[in-house]
Amino acid sequence: MLEHTGVERLDAGSLAALVSRTHRALVDAEAAMLELAALWGHTFPAAHSTDPEAAPAVEQDAALEFGTLMQAGLMAAQNMIADALDLEHRLPRVWLRVRKGEVRAWKAREIAKQTRQLDRAGAEYVDTAVHRYLTALNWTRFQHLLAAKIIEADPRQAEARAKAAEAERFVRTGRSSDHGLKTLYARAQAGEVIWFVAMVDRIATILGDRGDPDSEDVRRSRAIGILANPALALRLLASQCGGSADSPASDPESSVPGPALCPPAGADDHGHPEQRPFATADGEPPQDDPWPCADPWPAQARRLAEQIWAWRQTATEEPRPTEPPERPDDDAAAAARSAADRRARPEQAARAVDAVVRSDVPLHRLLPKAVLYVHLQQEVMTGEVAGCARLEGVGPVTLEQVRRFLGQSCRVRVQPVIDLESVKAVDAWEIPAWMRERVRLRNPADIFPYAAGTGRHVDCDHSTPYLPMSRGGPPGQTSELRLGPLSRRHHNAKTRRSWRVRQPSAGLFVWRSRHGFVYLVDVDGTHDLGRVVSPMRSGAPPTRD
């Protein structure tokens, strides 16, 4: 299509402008097709419409010809007409932006699909809340915003959907093996997955500390097999915590009643505390231990310990003597050693359990280090307004989901509100942890245009290169007025000067590409400011941050 247009002779700046114009034509064509779908639906209305909350119904066979005209099947045509009518009648602000050519049609259609279960008032709430962010946020970040607003529109319905989704949890294996390997699939609560992965990481680290030469991924895979053997996992964790997991209990002949169960005050019939977490999320013991005994392990883990003790009673019983078959002397000796090993394995595992359950190692030290960052408004928590919480790495969740995530796995630490209006600075190049947290709260995502990263592993970057004070640099260069979160790829692009950035104020960044396209990034996302007259000089020397 472009072979005879001379595009191959364009310079880089002209080629960039052509890319921008072609994208604009694509957006306009998509919008026109969606408008035609809505008009087609109005041209063939159904005789009767039964749902006043829904968009107008369409004649049963109307989508057949529409599908053939756009070279698509019946379902694709029906979906496009339904999405277009929903946008027109239930999401007017998003629909207006589509018709103006400001928003990609597929993004608007996704909003229509996700809000279809809401009544008109709920759809109106979502439409009002999200329409202006459609072009400002990367699609991944916009999906989190959309999910949050859908929860806020109808919290009860959102909780019902969450419970229905939790009923679809599973653990499955792949259909075929590959070179003796098997693939494991699991779907579980986000909090459970985070804790499981943290434990896998901890065991993989222990294996590495013990000299395992394999890669981290291989050690993490092996950790799953270790966790499948609870006694072996306890022994490994106890030894790493400094416990004598290989030594027998001081009184092996004493009765074994299992760990003393000491439910806290206010516990229910099953021994669960009333919303009282039992350990810090990073594995440290709580300061005000809700358990009156020395062991801050919850009732669920205590029941597991009792099961292990019951297993110990049966596993350590002397096996019934059997007459070995007649075989050569060497085979008889090997069989005797094998039988001795089989008898020894339960004993070794039982000693590991003894070391742990008899408080040779404090049980809270066996917990993995995992931190769940939950962002929650006080008004939402107290029920003054409807809303949701944001779980970092997961996205928006209902309040009931937060209670399920934290109620029996974490000790909750409430952080005080941080005043972001004041601006602080230090004289060193190193960025203090408290300042990193302030920068992250102000700009929770990568500040490169349309970036998707929201994790805590991005760089905290100086928007203006730091100049040591010994070389004439001014004091206070490391300041919230000069910092922003950047992924390593975007950080390197800025350092190589293929992109330039200015930070007029805290949380506000102006980016310019090598061909002169300018973008403003703030807390609401990215805003396209168009193209400046003269592009940057490509020969500008790189700087070092």
Side-chain angles (χ1 to χ4, degrees):
M1 180 177 178
L2 296 176
E3 290 85 351
H4 306 292
T5 61
V7 66
E8 65 276 2
R9 294 189 295 273
L10 296 177
D11 59 30
S14 300
L15 184 60
L18 179 59
V19 170
S20 180
R21 291 197 302 271
T22 303
H23 175 75
R24 167 52 47 201
L26 173 64
V27 174
D28 291 341
E30 290 178 345
M33 196 66 196
L34 203 56
E35 285 190 82
L36 289 173
L39 183 59
W40 190 273
H42 289 302
T43 305
F44 300 96
H48 302 284
S49 181
T50 58
D51 188 358
E53 295 289 340
V58 180
E59 182 184 300
Q60 186 173 0
D61 295 332
L64 287 172
E65 186 175 4
F66 187 78
T68 60
L69 291 172
M70 66 176 195
Q71 300 180 359
L74 174 62
M75 290 302 299
Q78 285 180 334
N79 290 337
M80 177 173 283
I81 294 173
D83 294 342
L85 291 175
D86 267 2
L87 286 165
E88 182 181 16
H89 291 272
R90 289 162 50 87
L91 303 162
R93 294 170 182 81
V94 175
W95 178 240
L96 180 61
R97 296 203 65 184
V98 173
R99 296 182 64 190
K100 287 182 177 181
E102 298 175 352
V103 173
R104 295 289 299 272
W106 66 266
K107 293 182 178 180
R109 292 184 61 187
E110 187 63 28
I111 299 174
K113 289 184 178 69
Q114 294 194 31
T115 56
R116 192 159 291 153
Q117 74 275 9
L118 298 175
D119 58 20
R120 280 185 179 266
E124 171 74 12
Y125 175 84
V126 175
D127 181 47
T128 303
V130 306
H131 76 278
R132 68 190 184 96
Y133 294 100
L134 265 166
T135 53
L137 295 179
N138 170 278
W139 181 243
T140 300
R141 293 178 58 196
F142 179 82
Q143 284 182 303
H144 287 166
L145 173 65
L146 177 61
K149 297 307 175 183
I150 290 175
I151 293 175
E152 292 176 4
D154 193 340
R156 291 185 179 180
Q157 188 183 88
E159 176 60 23
R161 291 195 301 270
K163 288 185 176 179
E166 289 178 4
E168 298 176 359
R169 291 175 290 180
F170 62 84
V171 175
R172 299 176 187 147
T173 58
R175 294 184 178 180
S176 61
S177 298
D178 182 18
H179 303 291
L181 303 176
K182 198 79 169 176
T183 303
L184 181 68
Y185 302 94
R187 179 182 176 89
Q189 282 186 355
E192 295 170 347
V193 172
I194 292 171
W195 279 92
F196 177 78
V197 171
M199 181 59 79
V200 167
D201 289 340
R202 180 170 185 181
I203 292 179
T205 300
I206 294 174
L207 294 177
D209 293 342
R210 290 190 167 200
D212 191 320
D214 288 329
S215 67
E216 182 180 6
D217 282 340
V218 173
R219 286 185 277 114
R220 294 174 84 244
S221 174
R222 189 174 295 123
I224 295 177
I226 293 174
L227 287 172
N229 186 338
L232 177 58
L234 281 172
R235 182 179 182 182
L236 190 66
L237 292 167
S239 63
Q240 184 70 9
C241 292
S244 54
D246 292 320
S247 61
S250 58
D251 186 10
E253 300 300 328
S254 62
S255 60
V256 188
L261 300 181
C262 307
D268 60 19
D269 294 337
H270 301 286
H272 298 302
E274 295 179 346
Q275 301 300 324
R276 291 295 306 274
F278 70 93
T280 57
D282 57 3
E284 295 299 324
Q287 298 300 319
D288 53 339
D289 186 4
W291 299 94
C293 53
D295 179 3
W297 201 261
Q300 183 179 7
R302 291 168 177 273
R303 290 195 297 272
L304 175 62
E306 286 184 312
Q307 294 172 6
I308 295 176
W309 276 97
W311 163 83
R312 177 191 185 278
Q313 290 290 79
T314 58
T316 57
E317 290 179 356
E318 190 69 22
R320 296 179 181 178
T322 58
E323 292 293 335
E326 295 183 1
R327 60 183 69 187
D329 293 342
D330 291 344
D331 290 346
R337 288 194 299 271
S338 178
D341 289 342
R342 286 197 299 271
R343 288 192 297 270
R345 283 195 207 108
E347 267 312 324
Q348 293 170 357
R351 285 198 296 269
V353 175
D354 283 342
V356 175
V357 181
R358 291 174 182 271
S359 297
D360 200 13
V361 175
L363 291 182
H364 66 263
R365 294 181 59 188
L366 304 182
L367 295 176
K369 291 185 178 181
V371 181
L372 305 178
Y373 293 96
V374 180
H375 299 265
L376 184 64
Q377 291 181 326
Q378 182 177 354
E379 294 80 6
V380 174
M381 186 172 60
T382 57
E384 298 177 26
V385 297
C388 62
R390 180 170 63 88
L391 186 62
E392 288 191 17
V394 177
V397 294
T398 68
L399 299 187
E400 289 300 322
Q401 285 180 297
V402 172
R403 293 187 181 98
R404 290 195 291 273
F405 289 164
L406 303 181
Q408 297 182 22
S409 298
C410 300
R411 179 173 177 81
V412 179
R413 178 188 302 168
V414 179
Q415 296 282 46
V417 176
I418 298 177
D419 178 17
L420 299 180
E421 295 298 325
S422 61
V423 177
K424 302 180 183 298
V426 296
D427 293 335
W429 175 82
E430 294 81 7
I431 304 169
W434 58 265
M435 185 176 289
R436 288 179 182 272
E437 185 65 18
R438 291 173 61 91
V439 171
R440 176 173 175 75
L441 290 174
R442 189 192 63 212
N443 292 97
D446 188 334
I447 49 94
F448 190 81
Y450 302 111
T454 57
R456 288 182 171 262
H457 302 293
V458 297
D459 297 337
C460 194
D461 175 61
H462 289 81
S463 54
T464 302
Y466 181 85
L467 181 63
M469 296 179 64
S470 60
R471 294 168 50 191
Q477 293 183 72
T478 299
S479 163
E480 297 163 48
L481 294 174
R482 299 190 178 195
L483 294 173
L486 270 182
S487 71
R488 184 57 53 87
R489 182 73 175 270
H490 298 150
H491 188 167
N492 290 341
K494 181 181 78 73
T495 302
R496 290 190 296 266
R497 301 300 290 272
S498 59
W499 284 81
R500 293 185 181 179
V501 63
R502 295 292 181 266
Q503 188 175 1
S505 61
L508 189 66
F509 303 85
V510 180
W511 289 87
R512 183 181 177 186
S513 76
R514 68 175 75 188
H515 298 117
F517 291 89
V518 181
Y519 304 89
L520 173 68
V521 180
D522 59 14
V523 294
D524 291 330
T526 303
H527 312 277
D528 188 347
L529 301 184
R531 191 181 187 189
V532 297
V533 177
S534 59
M536 296 189 310
R537 291 181 293 107
S538 59
T543 61
R544 183 175 182 179
D545 186 5

